[in-house]
Amino acid sequence: MSGPDERTIPGNTLAVQADMPFSGLTTFGTSFLSKFECSQMPHPLLEHITFVDTPGVLSGEKQRTQRSYEFTGVTSWFAAKCDLILLLFDPHKLDISDEFKRVIGSLRGHDDKIRVVLNKADQIDTQQLMRVYGALMWSLGKVLNTPEVSRVYIGSFNDKPVKESAVGPIGKELFEKEQDDLLSDLKDIPKKACDRRINEFVKRARAAKIHAYIIGHLKNQMPTMMGKAKAQQKLIDNLEGEFAKVQREHHLPAGDFPYVEHFREALGGYSIDRFEKVKPKMIQAVDDMLGYDIPELLKNFRNPYE
């Protein structure tokens, strides 16, 4: 990221710096922060954009070696705050390992930010490239669980010239066009940053509203006197059914609801009986904000990068 001079800051120091956006990473503990660091340097590009690089995803035998921190939790934290996510693939290593599957799973809800990059594509000939591309799309379709096809950029993204002997003149032209497309996508990030922030804010507001409805509903299902532990367990076991009831009662879209398994896991550590009841005034305030305040804000909001 941008800085006054060239230096590297260790993770534990970064997490306590008030002017840095990394204080939330303290929840992952020193086992993660000791492996996290920030490189700073003065550069005009870095005044508008920050790059986050993750370590390589484990595959094969290495997967048996456990990381000392929650890798998918960290990637999920960064995914919620970034503007663009690049998934890098190598034509010689297309297999999506179990850890990579979990990483891609942790990016759910941020599908619009994901771009897939097939790098080092000039190391194979055109015929092999067609097969590799097909195999990659098939693998991604199974992991992403969406009928929509992901945008894949093909090329050799380094500072060396494309190997024309392997891919031929058509391949060289294709790679150059793909590289231009990816660069224009990256250049658009600062322009879209303001819209993205409002988009994330609206997403979080809707999630908070649905969370309040779910918690209020679960609280109402609890008995006043006896059998609270049994009633709580029954509600947790039948969480899908309870979500459906809330959805029907308040006419809410199913796509806004949290993942059942994750919610069930989190709910196990709390006593439902101690939850607050829903305050209709607060829900109304969120609705008014989404219906009137945000559109008004957008009218007055000019993009500083235009």
Side-chain angles (χ1 to χ4, degrees), residues 33 41 83 86 112 117 159 197 214 218 220:
L33 292 172
M41 64 179 289
D83 291 303
L86 296 177
D112 56 322
V117 176
D159 51 3
R197 278 181 189 167
I214 293 167
L218 294 173
N220 289 340

Side-chain angles (χ1 to χ4, degrees), residues 204-223:
R204 287 186 71 166
R206 287 168 69 120
K209 177 181 149 184
I210 284 187
H211 184 80
Y213 274 135
I214 293 167
I215 295 300
H217 170 79
L218 294 173
K219 165 83 173 171
N220 289 340
Q221 302 302 307
M222 290 295 284

Side-chain angles (χ1 to χ4, degrees), residues 104-146:
I104 294 172
S106 73
L107 304 179
R108 278 200 187 128
H110 305 292
D111 308 38
D112 56 322
K113 300 179 185 179
I114 296 175
R115 304 286 184 276
V116 179
V117 176
L118 180 59
N119 197 16
K120 303 176 187 172
D122 63 343
Q123 293 182 4
I124 52 175
D125 62 35
T126 316
Q127 189 183 12
Q128 283 175 311
L129 181 59
M130 291 293 287
R131 288 176 184 158
V132 163
Y133 181 79
L136 176 61
M137 295 303 277
W138 184 80
S139 301
L140 283 171
K142 283 178 74 181
V143 176
L144 291 169
N145 278 332
T146 54

Side-chain angles (χ1 to χ4, degrees), residues 60-80:
E61 281 292 309
K62 286 182 186 171
Q63 289 185 83
R64 296 182 186 180
T65 314
Q66 289 294 311
R67 293 187 193 266
S68 57
Y69 60 92
E70 194 194 340
F71 187 61
T72 50
V74 176
T75 51
S76 187
W77 188 91
F78 276 109

Side-chain angles (χ1 to χ4, degrees), residues 135-273:
L136 176 61
M137 295 303 277
W138 184 80
S139 301
L140 283 171
K142 283 178 74 181
V143 176
L144 291 169
N145 278 332
T146 54
E148 293 92 358
V149 178
S150 305
R151 173 72 167 97
V152 178
Y153 296 98
I154 306 166
S156 183
F157 299 96
N158 57 33
D159 51 3
K160 291 173 187 154
V162 174
K163 276 190 195 169
E164 215 171 322
S165 56
V167 292
I170 299 170
K172 185 174 186 278
E173 191 185 334
L174 168 73
F175 290 177
E176 283 166 359
K177 281 181 181 172
E178 291 282 284
Q179 193 162 321
D180 290 344
D181 284 356
L182 180 58
L183 284 171
S184 67
D185 232 358
L186 292 171
K187 282 173 188 167
D188 274 350
I189 292 174
K191 287 183 192 171
K192 292 177 182 171
C194 304
D195 296 335
R196 176 83 66 195
R197 278 181 189 167
I198 292 176
N199 189 40
E200 288 298 321
F201 177 70
V202 170
K203 213 192 277 185
R204 287 186 71 166
R206 287 168 69 120
K209 177 181 149 184
I210 284 187
H211 184 80
Y213 274 135
I214 293 167
I215 295 300
H217 170 79
L218 294 173
K219 165 83 173 171
N220 289 340
Q221 302 302 307
M222 290 295 284
T224 46
M225 298 290 286
M226 307 288 286
K228 289 181 180 181
K230 197 182 273 186
Q232 171 156 340
Q233 195 52 53
K234 196 176 172 185
L235 286 170
I236 290 173
D237 292 344
N238 184 38
L239 209 52
E240 290 98 330
E242 300 305 325
F243 277 17
K245 283 180 195 171
V246 175
Q247 190 192 334
R248 282 196 302 272
E249 190 183 338
H250 301 287
H251 311 290
L252 300 165
D256 282 358
F257 277 74
Y259 298 112
V260 176
E261 285 308 316
H262 182 68
F263 202 88
R264 183 180 282 136
E265 204 178 295
L267 205 56
Y270 295 91
S271 172
I272 293 176
D273 189 49

Side-chain angles (χ1 to χ4, degrees), residues 86-98:
L86 296 177
L87 294 180
L88 295 166
F89 285 90
D90 188 315
H92 301 294
K93 286 182 277 194
L94 274 186
D95 59 314
I96 297 178
S97 66
D98 293 344

